[in-house]
Amino acid sequence: MEFIFDTHAHYDDPAFDADRFDFLKCLQNHGIKGIVNVGADIKTSQLSIKYAERFNDVFAAVGMHPQNVGSLPDNYLDILEKLAKKERVVALGEIGLDYHYDTVDKNLQQRCFEEQLELAKNLNLPAIIHSRDAAEDTLGIIKNVKPPKFVVHCFSYSLEIAKQLVALDCYFGFTGVVTFKNAKKPVEVLKKVPLNRILVETDCPYMAPEPNRGKRCDSSMLKFTVQKIAQVKEQQNSEMIEILNKNASEFYKINI
Ligand SMILES: [Zn+2]
């Protein structure tokens, strides 16, 4: 059996309240080698660290999601820096821009994204970027800050944008969305991006792949996403898993 590494999950979500720890303590029973639990505000970043300190195969990312930057304390960057320096933290995220809902001021989102991306650069941590309906501004800030290593997770943009990001040495995160029947754009992008720049993720509890679309997602469903990626990239399943684990290992600088 091949074990897969889940590069982006949210086990802090209330959807896992009933079985979170049962799941995290025996990841291998679910075909999973390890996961990165990704924070979206101060509380979930702290929880990510807590899980990572408790379970060997769990790692933490800390960051403020663009939808949550409207309610941050003034000293949020100091708080974040302290969290980011904890031993089990392997990345800064998720940070970025989300213009899909008109709830958080765009200027504020841009400022917080840029500040956190700078912090990632200063701490030499990879950045996990969330970007929705904000391709141009995201590209602008990335070009400005020049982070050493970053992924645009749950990639949803066009091939045109992907090409610009490839030139900036971007990693691309693919979720269960690539298994959806109407997922033309991400599959087209997946086809074209370099093999060594692909990361696989659940983004659970969201984005459950077919045949589980619409259900609560967990890391055990990652195999369906990997199968689709292998098919699109014309690789054997086991080879694809090896490539994806190597990519995750290089991105997060951890032994997988
Ligand atoms: Zn996420």
Side-chain angles (χ1 to χ4, degrees), residues 130-176:
H130 169 103
S131 180
R132 194 173 182 199
D133 297 345
E136 292 303 329
D137 287 350
T138 303
L139 271 165
I141 290 173
I142 291 169
K143 283 180 184 164
N144 202 17
V145 177
K146 298 187 184 68
K149 213 193 275 168
F150 64 99
V151 60
V152 176
H153 104 94
C154 196
F155 195 83
S156 61
Y157 292 132
S158 66
L159 190 53
E160 198 40 57
I161 299 292
K163 281 179 183 162
Q164 295 185 53
L165 284 163
V166 167
L168 299 170
D169 209 16
C170 177
Y171 282 75
F172 296 81
F174 292 97
T175 63

Side-chain angles (χ1 to χ4, degrees), residues 38-202:
V38 181
D41 55 20
I42 293 172
K43 185 173 160 242
T44 54
S45 294
Q46 288 167 333
L47 283 172
S48 297
I49 294 170
K50 214 169 117 186
Y51 304 159
E53 285 172 345
R54 182 165 163 189
F55 302 101
N56 274 340
D57 306 324
V58 178
F59 300 86
V62 295
M64 309 298 145
H65 187 287
Q67 286 297 316
N68 298 329
V69 297
S71 54
L72 291 176
D74 288 342
N75 64 339
Y76 90 94
L77 259 190
D78 297 331
I79 298 172
L80 185 60
E81 181 167 355
K82 278 202 191 89
L83 293 175
K85 286 178 173 167
K86 299 263 185 185
E87 201 192 329
R88 302 284 295 164
V89 173
V90 293
L92 218 86
E94 54 190 291
I95 62 177
L97 301 174
D98 193 326
Y99 297 167
H100 188 71
Y101 304 104
D102 207 10
T103 48
V104 184
D105 179 68
K106 287 181 183 174
N107 289 322
L108 179 64
Q109 289 193 38
Q110 289 162 16
R111 180 168 67 79
C112 291
F113 177 35
E114 191 152 0
E115 285 173 349
Q116 293 184 87
L117 203 55
E118 286 281 1
L119 179 63
K121 187 178 169 180
N122 292 339
L123 297 176
N124 200 22
L125 282 173
I128 303 168
I129 297 175
H130 169 103
S131 180
R132 194 173 182 199
D133 297 345
E136 292 303 329
D137 287 350
T138 303
L139 271 165
I141 290 173
I142 291 169
K143 283 180 184 164
N144 202 17
V145 177
K146 298 187 184 68
K149 213 193 275 168
F150 64 99
V151 60
V152 176
H153 104 94
C154 196
F155 195 83
S156 61
Y157 292 132
S158 66
L159 190 53
E160 198 40 57
I161 299 292
K163 281 179 183 162
Q164 295 185 53
L165 284 163
V166 167
L168 299 170
D169 209 16
C170 177
Y171 282 75
F172 296 81
F174 292 97
T175 63
V177 170
V178 295
T179 68
F180 297 174
K181 286 177 186 68
N182 55 353
K184 290 217 170 63
K185 256 197 308 184
V187 171
E188 195 187 19
V189 170
L190 175 58
K191 223 175 258 176
K192 293 280 157 67
V193 296
L195 261 181
N196 66 352
R197 285 294 176 270
I198 300 170
L199 298 180
V200 69
E201 54 170 301
T202 54

